[in-house]
Amino acid sequence: MEHKTDFLLKMTLDAWLLQLKRANTLFESLPNALLQEQVAPDRNTGLYLFGHLTAVHDAMLPLMMLGDKLYPELEEIFIKNPDRSGLKQPSPDEIRLYWNTVHTTLNKGLAQLSQEEWFGRHAAVSEEDFEKEPHRNRLSILISRTSHIAYHMGQLRFLKA
Amino acid sequence: MEHKTDFLLKMTLDAWLLQLKRANTLFESLPNALLQEQVAPDRNTGLYLFGHLTAVHDAMLPLMMLGDKLYPELEEIFIKNPDRSGLKQPSPDEIRLYWNTVHTTLNKGLAQLSQEEWFGRHAAVSEEDFEKEPHRNRLSILISRTSHIAYHMGQLRFLKA
């Protein structure tokens, strides 16, 4: 059964990596000028969504207790505030760099988590609450972020013909 | 460990049900006229995506070996052909009915699958191939469909202000 649980953990991790792979393929295919366009009229730009996903995944580092955020300044621009907030956004090339660095660090950390650690609490839940709500573990973060990236990928897809 | 695997299976099923719940909330909030609009210029209508998700989830019944499709005619209209194919589409109210019926049947079936059945092969893989590729199990279908619905939910979201 130990084996089955490990197998299931691997499937969950693979689902996350598959979404990232699709995102990489899309972002690499989009020239900077196209990335800066809105995905639909009066909707977020591709750049904002790219920054948003980078910021959300960067925040997974402390949430999964894998370390500090690499680019804490992204939260204000891409999570706490909407697009066209007037806040200065990094350039497309800067975000491309942040994206790659965040995922190299994050995925290295995720690959090293033990089964016990996957089922352990994440940083946003207290030990006391975790006793009552054991599903608020690291794995739940990964599952939730996998749906989150897919959601925005459906939107980013509209930048392509 | 049996317990841990069951716990993980429940988390995976809950992630699927959460996406369905969000989809239900969105579809119920959209009047038929709005549902029939394109989600973005020259993109699929909400109705097409609603029908597409219904057809894909209906096809999960035979794929998960839970029974026959309830509405096999949807495949031609909403999977094999694009929107504006000229094929007659069901009305919004018909698709609302199909959507509800498919999920009542499907989720009842999913709730009854044993741990062993979740790890068993799905119908699109032969027993021979499954020996070599044991990740092609029922659970992989559910994980994949959870990302799929999230992807299209990101697009359907654009029907709202």
Side-chain angles (χ1 to χ4, degrees):
Chain A
M1 285 305 110
E2 183 89 15
H3 166 72
K4 263 193 190 168
T5 306
D6 282 335
F7 189 59
L8 226 168
L9 283 172
K10 183 175 182 321
M11 286 178 67
T12 306
L13 194 56
D14 283 349
W16 157 256
L17 294 174
L18 177 65
Q19 291 301 318
L20 285 184
K21 190 179 166 189
R22 288 180 180 166
N24 281 330
T25 302
L26 180 70
F27 289 134
E28 283 169 15
S29 77
L30 291 171
N32 287 349
L34 197 52
L35 195 58
Q36 286 170 303
E37 289 186 11
Q38 294 176 338
V39 297
D42 296 322
R43 300 294 175 174
N44 291 320
T45 61
L47 188 72
Y48 181 85
L49 291 176
F50 194 13
H52 174 70
L53 289 172
T54 306
V56 168
H57 296 177
D58 193 26
M60 286 169 73
L61 288 169
L63 203 50
M64 310 281 267
M65 300 190 238
L66 294 171
D68 293 331
K69 286 182 195 173
L70 301 179
Y71 308 104
E73 68 277 15
L74 299 182
E75 180 177 358
E76 196 67 24
I77 308 170
F78 293 114
I79 299 181
K80 289 199 172 166
N81 285 285
D83 205 356
R84 288 161 290 173
S85 60
L87 292 173
K88 186 172 161 25
Q89 295 180 355
S91 71
D93 284 341
E94 284 170 324
I95 297 185
R96 289 182 197 278
L97 173 69
Y98 303 162
W99 171 267
N100 288 331
T101 311
V102 162
H103 291 101
T104 302
T105 307
L106 177 61
N107 289 332
K108 192 177 157 190
L110 295 180
Q112 289 168 354
L113 287 175
S114 68
Q115 191 185 109
E116 198 179 341
E117 286 168 326
W118 276 114
F119 285 99
R121 72 181 176 93
H122 61 67
V125 59
S126 69
E127 291 189 27
E128 194 183 2
D129 286 346
F130 184 60
E131 289 217 5
K132 286 171 276 177
E133 301 171 294
H135 60 276
R136 298 176 70 183
N137 51 34
R138 285 188 180 86
L139 195 63
S140 70
I141 302 288
L142 192 72
I143 292 173
S144 158
R145 293 305 177 274
T146 302
S147 290
H148 178 257
I149 183 174
Y151 181 92
H152 289 303
M153 283 299 293
Q155 301 173 336
L156 284 156
R157 172 66 186 78
F158 287 166
L159 291 174
K160 305 279 284 184
Chain B
M1 286 307 111
E2 182 88 16
H3 166 72
K4 263 193 189 168
T5 308
D6 281 336
F7 190 58
L8 226 169
L9 283 172
K10 183 176 182 318
M11 286 178 66
T12 306
L13 194 56
D14 282 348
W16 158 256
L17 294 173
L18 177 64
Q19 291 301 319
L20 284 183
K21 190 179 165 189
R22 288 179 180 166
N24 280 331
T25 301
L26 181 69
F27 290 133
E28 282 169 15
S29 77
L30 291 172
N32 287 349
L34 197 51
L35 194 59
Q36 286 169 298
E37 290 187 10
Q38 293 176 338
V39 297
D42 295 322
R43 300 292 175 176
N44 291 320
T45 62
L47 188 72
Y48 181 84
L49 291 175
F50 195 12
H52 174 69
L53 289 171
T54 306
V56 168
H57 296 177
D58 192 25
M60 287 169 72
L61 288 169
L63 202 51
M64 311 282 266
M65 301 192 239
L66 293 170
D68 293 329
K69 285 182 194 173
L70 301 178
Y71 308 104
E73 68 277 14
L74 299 182
E75 181 177 358
E76 196 66 24
I77 309 170
F78 293 115
I79 299 181
K80 290 199 172 166
N81 285 285
D83 205 357
R84 288 161 289 172
S85 60
L87 292 173
K88 186 170 160 28
Q89 296 179 356
S91 71
D93 283 342
E94 283 169 324
I95 297 186
R96 289 182 196 279
L97 173 68
Y98 301 163
W99 170 268
N100 287 332
T101 311
V102 162
H103 291 101
T104 302
T105 307
L106 177 61
N107 289 332
K108 192 176 158 191
L110 295 180
Q112 289 169 353
L113 286 176
S114 68
Q115 193 185 108
E116 196 178 343
E117 286 169 325
W118 275 114
F119 285 99
R121 73 181 174 93
H122 60 67
V125 60
S126 69
E127 290 189 26
E128 194 183 2
D129 287 346
F130 184 60
E131 288 216 5
K132 287 171 276 178
E133 303 172 294
H135 59 277
R136 298 177 70 183
N137 50 34
R138 285 188 179 84
L139 194 63
S140 70
I141 302 288
L142 192 73
I143 292 173
S144 159
R145 294 304 178 275
T146 302
S147 290
H148 178 258
I149 183 174
Y151 182 93
H152 289 303
M153 283 299 292
Q155 301 172 336
L156 284 156
R157 172 66 186 75
F158 287 165
L159 290 174
K160 304 279 285 186

